[in-house]
Amino acid sequence: MRLSFHGADREVTGSCHLLHCAGRRILVDCGLFQGGRELEEENARPFGFDPAEIDILLLTHAHLDHCGRIPLLVKRGFRGEIICTAATRELARLVMLDAAHLQEEEARYRSGKSGRHGHHRHHKSEHHAPESPLYCILDAVNCAEYFGRTAEYGKRLELAPGVAATFFDAGHILGSASILLELSENGHRRRILFSGDIGNAGRPLLRDPVVPHGADAVIMETTYGDRQHRPVDASVTEFYAAVSDALEQGGNVIIPTFALERAQEILYFLHEGVRQKRLPAHLQVFLDSPMAISATEIFEHHPECYEAKTAALFRGGRDPFALPGLHFVREAADSIALSQIRSGALIMAGSGMCTGGRVRHHLKNNLSRSNCGVIFVGYASEGTLARIIIDGADAVRLLGEEVLVKAHVYTINGFSAHADQRELLAWHARTGKPEVTFLVHGEAKAMQAFARSLRHTRVEMPALHQSYDL
Ligand code: ZN
């Protein structure tokens, strides 16, 4: 049996691993590359295998860097079966449609710029023209028919003679999984564990990660392989203080948020804050993101994924997201109308790093007002508008205008959907003593630091398209 890595190396991440065993080809994840290099080009390149030859795609979770190239896979000939949990299936559909929509928009923008507007639609080419999208909405819709069996946590699925898979709750986002493959080929047996992304323990909405024991080979993520998180309780307290302080100034409060997971977590904390009287009872919250609203609705369909206490409350009739003063803003016209509100509104909108989306309009309307607040609740990479504001810029360029930064800026660092170094080590220890551990999905620095702290295993850091015999 042979394992090859087509999604991650030391510079870029985008999960995509291929296992060749007992005459079957099984792909684990098919993510879009994110980070480092010229990514558009990287994403359009050949996969490193023939999509038509893949029998089964096992999907760990619905983040773009794990499912974002599925429409491209189907477009290029994949006709196999996609298997994931019920929640992942719904979320992945949403994430792929959103990605396709963004790519269509970007392609339109690029073709307008290059003066070829209107031509690219009829331009047939074997090559990926820079002004055509990687895939379109129709391609994303087409993926639906390849989603087959639903995986349930802890239930073994026989995929083919000599190939079985079991999904375990990874505690990372709704429906996320680590996947154990039990393989047998000519009397040679192997247990191979793919971590997916590993969540951090002790979060209120999701369960702690479940780790199967006795893997021979482990493929694991190392996003925070060199860092420790602060406890989430301290961050929640800090978040409530920021919300109260910002509202007391008399203006509005903007919270740039990622649509999937972070938005739901923040809604949950706001709801709890009001319920426990740690936040004002009359809080008016506007969730201004069609994507986040849909993701929240999907959360409400899947209480089977919740942490036990939250699940029990939900069954007892308490919806974790049903904050009394919550307004869903789907329509663009309603989003624009929010600019009429000068005071007391808490507006959650994307994107989380302020690189696009509706949040930019709200920042434009509120950033220069000294009685307003902006609360950052997630990671912001170098060069993004969020990072520029966090780093203390006096003025920023926004939608073609120079906007002064006079609003109060708060940064809450402790919210994370990833395990930190200590938790990653504990996770690895629980897998047993695997002969070999492949590190993926982390920056080089984090990966190397993590590799040094691992014991009782051979460590590999595969390059893109590298293969190993197992
Ligand atoms: Zn993830």
Side-chain angles (χ1 to χ4, degrees):
M1 43 196 91
R2 203 164 169 73
L3 174 63
S4 38
F5 295 86
H6 299 290
D9 68 7
R10 296 169 200 101
E11 273 182 74
V12 295
T13 63
S15 180
C16 185
H17 316 303
L18 177 63
L19 239 165
H20 196 170
C21 173
R24 307 290 163 135
R25 286 182 176 81
I26 294 147
L27 202 61
V28 177
D29 288 343
C30 194
L32 210 60
F33 290 108
Q34 301 188 298
R37 271 181 233 146
E38 276 303 311
L39 291 176
E40 249 159 68
E41 231 174 89
E42 193 73 59
N43 281 314
R45 277 198 193 130
F47 285 99
F49 54 84
D50 180 0
E53 288 185 346
I54 303 297
D55 298 291
I56 288 168
L57 164 58
L58 303 171
L59 178 59
T60 61
H61 67 289
H63 271 150
L64 200 60
D65 53 341
H66 292 258
C67 72
R69 279 192 298 166
I70 294 178
L72 192 63
L73 190 77
V74 172
K75 191 174 154 182
R76 291 184 181 169
F78 171 83
R79 295 295 177 265
E81 180 185 10
I82 305 173
I83 302 177
C84 61
T85 64
T88 295
R89 181 198 314 229
E90 283 187 57
L91 287 174
R93 180 177 163 271
L94 181 69
V95 166
M96 293 188 296
L97 284 171
D98 184 64
H101 169 70
L102 284 178
Q103 284 167 37
E104 284 190 1
E105 277 200 335
E106 272 167 33
R108 255 194 298 277
Y109 174 74
R110 282 198 305 268
S111 70
K113 255 190 156 176
S114 64
R116 296 183 53 190
H117 189 72
H119 292 288
H120 68 283
R121 276 170 180 277
H122 310 288
H123 179 71
K124 265 205 161 177
S125 165
E126 288 296 306
H127 302 288
H128 178 76
E131 63 274 4
S132 64
L134 197 57
Y135 51 81
C136 62
I137 291 176
L138 201 60
D139 296 316
V141 170
N142 278 342
C143 296
E145 65 181 286
Y146 299 100
F147 280 82
R149 281 169 281 182
T150 302
E152 284 177 51
Y153 292 133
K155 283 210 177 129
R156 194 180 135 104
L157 286 165
E158 299 289 341
L159 303 182
V163 185
T166 313
F167 285 56
F168 295 88
D169 195 341
H172 167 61
I173 64 166
L174 193 83
S176 67
S178 300
I179 302 173
L180 177 70
L181 279 169
E182 291 170 275
L183 308 170
S184 140
E185 188 180 64
N186 305 325
H188 180 55
R189 289 172 179 279
R190 277 281 187 242
R191 286 163 62 89
I192 301 176
L193 177 61
F194 293 86
S195 73
D197 283 356
I198 303 167
N200 48 348
R203 286 154 80 205
L205 283 177
L206 301 178
R207 290 184 288 260
D208 292 356
V210 175
V211 193
H213 192 77
D216 303 307
V218 168
I219 295 88
M220 80 178 288
E221 68 118 331
T222 48
T223 310
Y224 289 112
D226 61 345
R227 266 173 285 174
Q228 313 290 350
H229 297 320
R230 43 187 301 215
V232 72
D233 285 351
S235 302
V236 173
T237 302
E238 201 185 326
F239 175 62
Y240 290 161
V243 171
S244 304
D245 185 67
L247 285 171
E248 272 169 28
Q249 315 290 325
N252 295 324
V253 183
I254 313 299
I255 307 181
T257 8
F258 292 105
L260 177 50
E261 202 67 31
R262 187 58 39 84
Q264 290 75 40
E265 214 163 44
I266 293 298
L267 280 182
Y268 172 85
F269 287 132
L270 289 171
H271 189 191
E272 279 301 294
V274 170
R275 203 181 60 80
Q276 296 170 15
K277 302 192 167 50
R278 296 169 74 183
L279 288 175
H282 56 269
L283 211 60
Q284 291 298 309
V285 179
F286 298 87
L287 184 60
D288 185 14
S289 157
M291 168 101 168
I293 294 165
S294 297
T296 306
E297 286 167 355
I298 293 172
F299 259 73
E300 287 170 327
H301 301 165
H302 292 283
E304 80 279 4
C305 295
Y306 298 173
E307 183 274 329
K309 220 165 70 191
T310 310
L313 288 173
F314 187 86
R315 279 194 297 272
R318 198 204 293 162
D319 182 334
F321 309 111
L323 181 68
L326 174 63
H327 311 271
F328 283 168
V329 183
R330 267 194 194 273
E331 303 299 328
D334 295 333
S335 174
I336 293 164
L338 290 178
S339 64
Q340 304 299 317
I341 306 178
R342 306 299 288 169
S343 162
L346 205 154
I347 302 171
M348 295 168 61
S351 71
M353 297 195 202
C354 310
T355 48
R358 293 179 177 180
V359 75
R360 290 169 78 89
H361 295 274
H362 300 305
L363 288 173
K364 193 178 160 196
N365 292 331
N366 295 284
L367 208 51
S368 61
R369 299 170 58 211
S370 60
N371 62 349
C372 290
V374 184
I375 306 178
F376 291 98
V377 291
Y379 176 73
S381 36
E382 208 73 55
T384 58
L385 178 60
R387 184 61 172 267
I388 292 166
I389 297 171
I390 290 169
D391 286 347
D394 298 324
V396 293
R397 253 348 260 173
L398 244 176
L399 305 166
E401 268 179 43
E402 176 103 341
V403 181
L404 294 178
V405 183
K406 290 194 173 158
H408 294 248
V409 176
Y410 308 83
T411 312
I412 316 292
N413 277 320
F415 297 124
S416 176
H418 283 275
D420 64 9
Q421 187 193 44
R422 187 181 47 82
E423 290 172 309
L424 287 174
L425 284 172
W427 186 92
H428 187 270
R430 276 183 277 159
T431 63
K433 286 180 182 157
E435 274 166 40
V436 54
T437 303
F438 298 94
L439 302 184
V440 296
H441 210 293
E443 288 171 10
K445 194 164 72 74
M447 222 181 254
Q448 279 147 10
F450 191 69
R452 283 193 296 274
S453 54
L454 278 178
R455 298 280 172 273
H456 312 297
T457 184
R458 189 179 105 226
V459 179
E460 296 282 350
M461 290 179 263
L464 192 63
H465 304 307
Q466 194 167 350
S467 293
Y468 297 83
D469 284 316
L470 294 175

